[in-house]
Amino acid sequence: MEQGAREGDSRSQTDFRTRVSARHSLDHVFTALVYAATAVGLIILAVLLASVLRDGVPRIDWQFITGYPSQVLPETAGIYPALLGSLWLLGLTAVISVPLGIGAAVYLEEYATDTWFNRVVEINISNLAGVPSIIYGLLGLGIFVNLLGFITGPHSGGQSILTGALTLSLLILPVIIITTREALRAISDSVREGGYALGATRWEVIWGHLLPMALPGALTGTILALSRAIGETAPLVVVGALTYINYAPTGPLSSYTALPRQIYFWIEQAQDEYKVLAAAAIVVLMAVLLLANSVAIIIRNRYQGRT
Amino acid sequence: MESEKTREERTLFGVSGSERDTREGSQPPADGSTIGMQIRDLSAYYGTFKAVTDVSMDVRANRVTALIGPSGCGKSTFIRCLNRMHEVVPGARAEGCVTLGGQDIYTKDTDPVMIRRRVGMVFQKPNPFSKSIYENVAWGARINGYKGDMDELVELSLKQAALWEEVKDRLKSSGLGLSGGQQQRLCIARTLAVEPEVILMDEPASALDPVSTQKIEDTMEQLKQSYTVVIVTHNMQQAARISDYTGFFYIENMGDPGRLWEFDGTEKMFSNPERKETEDYVTGRFG
């Protein structure tokens, strides 16, 4: 007992094996591993980009952007209808899905009480985010083409841009809802209480404080979701995007094709000229995507700066 | 001046001091002031948990009432019942009677939004909005339909909160860029801007340094000219310095709900309280 203190001292020196250099080695190993993991992704992306750019860029000219696809003369074919179709889809999908998604998120986060019904809704939304896009295509086929075809496309048998946009909206709604909810949840309750304490109603607090504060986060989710939507092929095939079209869409009720659908069609053709066309269309699709994203990011940053 | 008008209103609606309810033993003697808020048998719950029980108290108009007591004995819960903020927490509810200017604020058809507009609140942690300093002050007034000169109101409110000199050149910059003490005074200013009748303060200086605390106390000295103030504080010197009345909240046994243990004039509470626990607490022997 009387030696207790001294034994304690010696123990503190002998029972620890600090082994700093071995731990540092392990540190280096893991650093190398995570670098490698990042590099694999980047290299594959770079190779992909380089190959597409090499094949596609020489083929891109004004005639390619403004021309119409051709069944017989791949040298003069263009992507004008598909490009316009994709832009229409992007715009309409945004207009439909953003208000719906943000509205649903506000309800679930700010109004819904903890009942079994709301819990079921919540679980379902999380699950819906993981449902394969082709399933949404089938849903769109059932509802917007077959059931509501007389509204969504009186002259195209329901296979219109509107149908495509509605289907893509369904596809990306869960992502928008989830990211907006997360942005709302990140806002401290003290903000809500501060608003209520001034005699504000719930809606005034939401509109005046919560939505402006959640907007940057909600926009990030929306950008990601829309990027996914514009690249989707499978659901559009199901709800009737055409493979060959020689006129540009004139409005939401027109028949249409979209860039990914056009690309898919060209890749299936045997001649090499069509493969080049596909590569060129891919470059255009990516350019549209990057452009749309940067516009959204600029809007977001401007808003963040203001608040 | 605005304060003249509101004071007149208060006298009109207020219950006169002589009508003092005698059900609860320790209501302090009247001092010529009217009753701003009257609380009778108030109990507050979180779900099935009873946090505060049977509080009865008269809050006097144009006076500062301080609430002291150990942590977790229901002071904050109680004060949040006075502007119906308590029920904002899911599952929370209150029972009993609270009147504001003679009107019961817990009747079925009383709109909590209207009560909160009349009974303002400053929170423990400064919570300015993510907006400009100007907008922080103007927002509450605007949603409440203020039709006067907004620039004037913002300036007046910031002056009343002793913040004007520090921010008058940067009204357009974010309220979140201010220091903690300035943020808290900004929160006081935005509360003043809607011209409430009563201001509740839940430990408004507990997160602040002594200099900022001093400024907030100076502000409160000004406020009681025209407002009724209820303040929760852990700082006994602060309670003694600024308040006219002091209520001591206490829990006798672990797990019991908090009670108003003693309520009296501040001087009496700090020099010669009736109950032993109060004396122990104010002399720093426990808690």
Side-chain angles (χ1 to χ4, degrees):
Chain A
M1 272 316 274
E2 64 271 23
Q3 287 176 304
R6 277 196 56 196
E7 267 181 349
D9 285 347
S10 63
R11 196 188 61 186
S12 72
Q13 277 152 27
T14 55
D15 283 4
F16 284 99
R17 286 189 199 81
T18 314
R19 301 191 308 125
V20 175
S21 69
R23 283 158 59 202
H24 274 307
S25 312
L26 204 62
D27 207 26
H28 290 310
V29 170
F30 275 106
T31 309
L33 279 175
V34 292
Y35 268 120
T38 315
V40 169
L42 281 181
I43 288 168
I44 292 175
L45 186 69
V47 169
L48 219 68
L49 268 179
S51 129
V52 168
L53 288 175
R54 192 196 60 209
D55 293 346
V57 168
R59 182 65 184 76
I60 297 173
D61 50 25
W62 190 242
Q63 204 264 324
F64 178 73
I65 304 286
T66 58
Y68 292 84
S70 164
Q71 298 286 63
V72 282
L73 290 171
E75 309 81 52
T76 62
I79 53 161
Y80 187 61
L83 180 61
L84 225 60
S86 272
L87 292 177
W88 264 106
L89 276 178
L90 185 67
L92 262 185
T93 306
V95 167
I96 295 166
S97 62
V98 169
L100 281 179
I102 291 181
V106 166
Y107 169 74
L108 287 170
E109 206 52 46
E110 302 297 326
Y111 286 86
T113 48
D114 192 21
T115 61
W116 68 266
F117 174 77
N118 286 321
R119 276 200 296 273
V120 168
V121 170
E122 253 168 63
I123 291 168
N124 269 306
I125 288 173
S126 311
N127 286 336
L128 282 175
V131 168
S133 57
I134 187 99
I135 308 288
Y136 282 100
L138 293 171
L139 185 68
L141 178 66
I143 297 175
F144 303 127
V145 178
N146 293 341
L147 207 64
L148 302 174
F150 62 95
I151 301 170
T152 56
H155 308 297
S156 52
Q159 303 185 328
S160 64
I161 291 181
L162 182 60
T163 296
L166 285 167
T167 307
L168 290 179
S169 294
L170 285 186
L171 176 74
I172 66 172
L173 263 177
V175 179
I176 296 178
I177 293 173
I178 289 168
T179 46
T180 307
R181 285 191 65 183
E182 268 160 19
L184 285 170
R185 206 174 310 151
I187 300 172
S188 162
D189 271 342
S190 70
V191 173
R192 295 175 179 85
E193 294 197 335
Y196 292 144
L198 291 172
T201 61
R202 180 143 56 179
W203 172 246
E204 284 162 346
V205 171
I206 291 170
W207 182 252
H209 303 299
L210 303 185
L211 281 181
M213 289 174 82
L215 199 74
L219 264 181
T220 307
T222 308
I223 294 166
L224 290 173
L226 281 173
S227 311
R228 187 184 164 196
I230 196 185
E232 279 293 345
T233 320
L236 293 184
V237 172
V238 180
V239 296
L242 302 171
T243 49
Y244 173 75
I245 194 167
N246 59 1
Y247 54 89
T250 50
L253 297 182
S254 211
S255 359
Y256 67 106
T257 190
L259 279 172
R261 183 76 191 88
Q262 185 73 60
I263 292 164
Y264 185 66
F265 174 72
W266 276 335
I267 282 176
E268 278 184 317
Q269 308 301 310
Q271 297 103 304
D272 280 342
E273 287 91 335
Y274 284 110
K275 303 250 184 314
V276 174
L277 282 174
I282 288 170
V283 174
V284 173
L285 177 61
M286 286 198 300
V288 169
L289 230 159
L290 284 177
L291 207 71
N293 278 8
S294 33
V295 168
I297 289 169
I298 289 167
I299 295 173
R300 184 186 70 188
N301 289 350
R302 187 160 296 174
Y303 217 92
Q304 249 170 342
R306 221 179 50 184
T307 51
Chain B
M1 265 301 287
E2 193 55 48
S3 65
E4 290 295 326
K5 197 192 83 196
T6 38
R7 202 180 308 178
E8 192 178 280
E9 262 175 30
R10 238 170 257 135
T11 329
L12 276 173
F13 289 112
V15 183
S16 92
S18 57
E19 289 173 38
R20 205 150 59 81
D21 195 306
T22 49
R23 248 183 301 167
E24 192 73 2
S26 65
Q27 297 296 347
D31 61 353
S33 62
T34 55
I35 294 175
M37 295 189 88
Q38 194 169 51
I39 299 106
R40 288 295 173 269
D41 303 321
L42 186 81
S43 300
Y45 300 81
Y46 292 99
T48 53
F49 173 70
K50 197 176 194 181
V52 178
T53 191
D54 296 319
V55 175
S56 295
M57 173 190 273
D58 290 343
V59 176
R60 303 213 151 256
N62 295 70
R63 298 287 184 275
V64 176
T65 303
L67 304 178
I68 58 171
S71 293
C73 62
K75 306 181 296 296
S76 294
T77 304
F78 168 71
I79 203 177
R80 289 167 64 93
C81 292
L82 301 187
N83 66 342
R84 298 195 56 176
M85 282 297 286
H86 176 59
E87 66 207 48
V88 169
V89 179
R93 68 199 163 82
E95 282 171 4
C97 179
V98 178
T99 61
L100 169 62
Q103 174 205 344
D104 189 349
I105 69 169
Y106 272 100
T107 59
K108 255 203 145 62
D109 48 335
T110 308
D111 183 1
V113 169
M114 199 53 219
I115 298 304
R116 291 176 201 139
R117 185 250 170 284
R118 294 171 62 192
V119 184
M121 186 162 212
V122 177
F123 297 85
Q124 180 173 1
K125 218 175 123 242
N127 57 348
F129 300 129
S130 168
K131 292 183 182 301
S132 69
I133 293 168
Y134 184 96
E135 273 304 308
N136 258 283
V137 181
W139 187 77
R142 193 176 302 128
I143 57 161
N144 281 299
Y146 179 71
K147 286 280 170 270
D149 184 339
M150 191 59 88
D151 291 354
E152 213 169 87
L153 178 70
V154 169
E155 181 176 342
L156 180 73
S157 305
L158 285 169
K159 277 180 174 160
Q160 280 182 301
L163 188 60
W164 173 252
E165 288 303 319
E166 289 157 68
V167 301
K168 62 182 176 188
D169 298 322
R170 47 168 173 155
L171 292 174
K172 295 281 167 236
S173 56
S174 171
L176 296 174
L178 298 173
S179 75
Q182 290 172 326
Q183 287 189 4
Q184 194 61 298
R185 276 177 283 147
L186 181 61
C187 292
I188 293 175
R190 83 177 173 202
T191 304
L192 297 177
V194 302
E195 290 174 9
E197 296 157 51
V198 181
I199 298 175
L200 309 172
M201 296 186 164
D202 188 359
E203 298 183 49
S206 68
L208 306 180
D209 66 283
V211 178
S212 303
T213 304
Q214 184 57 50
K215 283 194 171 146
I216 297 219
E217 284 186 16
D218 292 346
T219 309
M220 271 185 279
E221 197 59 43
Q222 298 295 313
L223 292 185
K224 78 178 184 189
Q225 312 292 323
S226 32
Y227 295 92
T228 303
V229 178
V230 182
I231 176 172
V232 171
T233 178
H234 273 132
N235 182 332
M236 239 99 63
Q237 289 80 38
Q238 188 175 59
R241 273 196 303 265
I242 60 173
S243 70
D244 304 296
Y245 295 96
T246 299
F248 173 59
F249 276 73
Y250 183 58
I251 293 178
E252 200 169 13
N253 303 304
M254 276 278 275
D256 284 357
R259 287 171 188 282
L260 178 60
W261 205 249
E262 188 167 351
F263 179 48
D264 215 325
T266 297
E267 228 176 278
K268 173 118 191 314
M269 285 288 279
F270 279 89
S271 58
N272 186 24
E274 299 285 330
R275 302 180 79 160
K276 186 178 168 299
E277 291 81 4
T278 314
E279 185 170 3
D280 286 351
Y281 187 78
V282 298
T283 53
R285 242 169 280 167
F286 77 91

